Amino acid sequence: TYLPGLANLLGWTGSYIESLVREFYASLWIDPDHRFIHFSFRGYDHRLYSTRARELLHLTESDT
């Protein structure tokens, strides 16, 4: 219940690498001001800033 969407994702066999999905979900931290997310992937810590995510996804900034 504390990891929304994880059960549905894990139900799609063959579409992901289970250990990487579990590592990501277990380590995901969202900045309270939504400036970045911090997570672990393949044993390395990563920080993705919202400005970079918007750039990669071609999204404009929004209050939503």
Side-chain angles (χ1 to χ4, degrees):
T1 59
Y2 65 94
L3 297 174
L6 182 59
N8 290 337
L9 180 61
L10 294 178
W12 302 342
T13 58
S15 299
Y16 62 91
I17 299 172
E18 183 177 341
S19 61
L20 297 180
V21 172
R22 288 185 185 277
E23 178 185 4
F24 173 79
Y25 264 93
S27 63
L28 178 63
W29 187 79
I30 301 171
D31 173 59
D33 295 325
H34 298 149
R35 293 173 297 178
F36 63 88
I37 62 171
H38 186 238
F39 59 94
S40 179
F41 185 71
R42 293 191 172 176
Y44 293 95
D45 286 336
H46 297 275
R47 185 172 285 197
L48 177 63
Y49 286 89
S50 60
T51 51
R52 180 67 177 140
R54 282 193 303 274
E55 181 182 293
L56 292 169
L57 298 171
H58 305 287
L59 300 172
T60 57
E61 189 168 359
S62 170
D63 290 336
T64 305

